[in-house]
Amino acid sequence: MLPDIDRRTTRPTWSLLGPAFVAAIAYVDPGNVAANVSAGAQFGFLLVWVIVLANVMAGLVQYLSAKLGLVTGRSLPESVAGRTRTTTRIAYWLQAELVAIATDLAEVVGGAIALYLLFDLPLLIGGVITGAVSLILLAVQNRRGQRHFERVISGLLLIIAIGFLTSVLVEPPPVADVAGGLIPRFDGAESVLLATAMLGATVMPHAVYLHSGLARDRHGHPEPGSRRRRLLMATRIDVGLAMLIAGAVNMSMLLVAATNLQGVADTDTLEGAHAAVQDTLGPAVALCFAIGLLASGLASTSVGAYAGAMIMGGLLRRTYPLLVRRLVTLLPALVILAIGVDPTRALVLSQVVLSFGIPFALIPLIRLTSDRQVMGADVNHRVTTTLGWGVAGLISLLNVVLIYLTVTG
């Protein structure tokens, strides 16, 4: 009989896939739906280029995160905690916690809206149900292991993809208009706000933190050699396939809105967008839209809570009960629903908050993966490092422009 390490080395590549599909849920959460639908309904095909750019950037970032976990055997939060003083570590955790709250806001509100569309449930009750289901999904991970959790989340990702891609197939967008949207440009402060929200909804900080831990927990900490090289190759394939699916779903959201909702009244909310889809494409497509949104909310809120637990445990170096960890980020979302804040606007603004948290995740990730003492022979190539800093710089610049336009506008 072959020793255990050899059996793992001879596994088919497809059996090594999975962590990136869990992380990819972060890229098709309800915040993406709100930001992309709003962008398409207000500006047509103007911001197509943002989705393409954001997806490419997300693929690079997620691979670097997974590589850090595989090579070092530590998650990104653990790596940051090991290189900072106590006060800095706690301050870093506070900003990461704010990002986690914004993440949960988008996911719980999105699930609540979907339940309202499907079953006419009040938003607060829908939010409670979404939070409860996320606990059940997390229990699968705790009791059955990561592989079972990956299968459940991958199944929900498939439902999300079918739910949103259906509408594109029913009414394909004009090819010339889509091509025109690939030219980078803006049209006023609101388009910058939406572009920043789309970036925040795609390159998500909690997914950056999470993927390092997912890859480490799934594949362990392989020593330098053939097995590590094979796992890194499988990780590149994993990330590529996951981001291809997530990018297609995100693009479909914007294209559907640009093709069918531009100029239609009351499409600035998800409820209004759903009604407009039903009027223009029929009840069957609208049902797929709502089901996709529900699957998005349920899957993403459980993945977000999983990431939050990893962030808190890694930075505070303590383990907290799952229910306590879940309530920390769930309660603000339920308060938003209870006081009657416009849920779609809250979703879009939550993505802007996420965008401001991206540099805090990217800068240490790039520094760590560019450090030969940390990564050894698997240190980033200079081109990779340059691209990584470019991603962090571009997002930071967009945030500065957003603040300026908001204050002066």
Side-chain angles (χ1 to χ4, degrees):
M1 179 180 293
L2 292 173
D4 184 58
I5 189 170
D6 289 337
R7 287 201 305 272
R8 288 183 293 176
T9 303
T10 56
R11 285 176 181 171
T13 299
W14 62 264
S15 69
L16 303 174
L17 308 182
F21 286 82
V22 175
I25 287 294
Y27 304 122
V28 291
D29 78 346
N32 291 82
V33 183
N36 294 331
V37 169
S38 295
Q42 292 184 48
F43 297 101
F45 300 93
L46 178 74
L47 299 178
V48 165
W49 65 274
V50 176
I51 289 182
V52 175
L53 180 63
N55 208 61
V56 171
M57 292 192 301
L60 170 64
V61 168
Q62 291 307 132
Y63 173 67
L64 293 181
S65 177
K67 184 171 78 166
L68 177 69
L70 280 172
V71 173
T72 66
R74 306 175 79 183
S75 69
L76 178 57
E78 290 170 340
S79 297
V80 170
R83 298 168 72 91
T84 54
R85 297 178 179 178
T86 300
T87 54
T88 304
R89 177 164 50 85
I90 293 175
Y92 190 89
W93 167 73
L94 288 173
Q95 66 80 28
E97 195 63 41
L98 179 62
V99 166
I101 290 172
T103 299
D104 225 21
L105 171 63
E107 293 156 353
V108 172
V109 170
I113 292 174
L115 289 170
Y116 168 75
L117 295 175
L118 288 168
F119 306 110
D120 202 26
L121 289 178
L123 291 178
L124 181 58
I125 294 177
V128 172
I129 292 174
T130 302
V133 171
S134 71
L135 279 173
I136 295 173
L137 293 177
L138 287 170
V140 171
Q141 191 276 333
N142 285 340
R143 297 183 180 181
R144 303 295 298 276
Q146 186 170 320
R147 289 294 299 273
H148 287 85
F149 184 68
E150 287 175 5
R151 291 181 183 127
V152 172
I153 297 299
S154 296
L156 289 170
L157 178 60
L158 179 62
I159 294 173
I160 296 166
I162 293 173
F164 290 109
L165 289 172
T166 299
S167 48
V168 174
L169 298 176
V170 170
E171 186 68 34
V175 176
D177 291 340
V178 176
L182 295 173
I183 301 173
R185 61 194 189 279
F186 295 109
D187 183 16
E190 184 67 15
S191 67
V192 178
L193 172 65
L194 284 172
T196 306
M198 291 161 70
L199 282 172
T202 304
V203 188
M204 297 192 74
H206 80 281
V208 179
Y209 296 122
L210 175 65
H211 204 164
S212 56
L214 288 172
R216 185 269 317 273
D217 293 344
R218 172 69 181 278
H219 301 304
H221 178 209
E223 295 296 324
S226 60
R227 181 166 181 263
R228 180 186 286 183
R229 289 194 298 272
R230 185 163 183 264
L231 286 173
L232 288 173
M233 176 60 71
T235 297
R236 286 192 284 272
I237 296 172
D238 194 25
V239 171
L241 291 174
M243 295 314 303
L244 181 63
I245 295 173
V249 173
N250 277 320
M251 186 65 75
S252 71
M253 297 172 189
L254 187 143
L255 296 183
V256 167
T259 304
N260 302 286
L261 307 184
Q262 190 176 12
V264 178
D266 300 323
T267 55
D268 55 343
T269 67
L270 287 178
E271 300 95 315
H274 174 265
V277 167
Q278 180 167 302
D279 292 339
T280 56
L281 299 177
V285 175
L287 177 62
C288 290
F289 180 96
I291 291 174
L293 179 62
L294 178 60
S296 170
L298 296 178
S300 59
T301 193
S302 61
V303 171
Y306 188 6
M310 185 175 292
I311 292 168
M312 180 177 279
L315 290 171
L316 298 185
R317 295 173 174 171
R318 292 183 60 184
T319 301
Y320 294 87
L322 181 61
L323 181 60
V324 172
R325 169 60 248 177
R326 190 71 193 88
L327 290 176
V328 168
T329 53
L330 177 61
L331 287 178
L334 295 180
V335 169
I336 291 293
L337 293 174
I339 63 179
V341 174
D342 175 35
T344 301
R345 189 63 176 175
L347 279 174
V348 173
L349 291 177
S350 74
Q351 303 311 294
V352 177
V353 173
L354 293 180
S355 186
F356 281 91
I358 292 170
F360 291 97
L362 292 189
I363 290 173
L365 174 66
I366 298 165
R367 289 187 63 182
L368 288 166
T369 54
S370 302
D371 188 337
R372 187 170 293 275
Q373 291 184 340
V374 175
M375 302 296 291
D378 295 301
V379 67
N380 289 344
H381 189 279
R382 290 182 180 179
V383 174
T384 304
T385 299
T386 301
L387 290 173
W389 286 121
V391 169
L394 176 61
I395 294 173
S396 299
L397 176 63
L398 266 180
N399 289 333
V400 172
V401 172
L402 174 63
I403 294 173
Y404 173 77
L405 291 175
T406 302
V407 171
T408 59

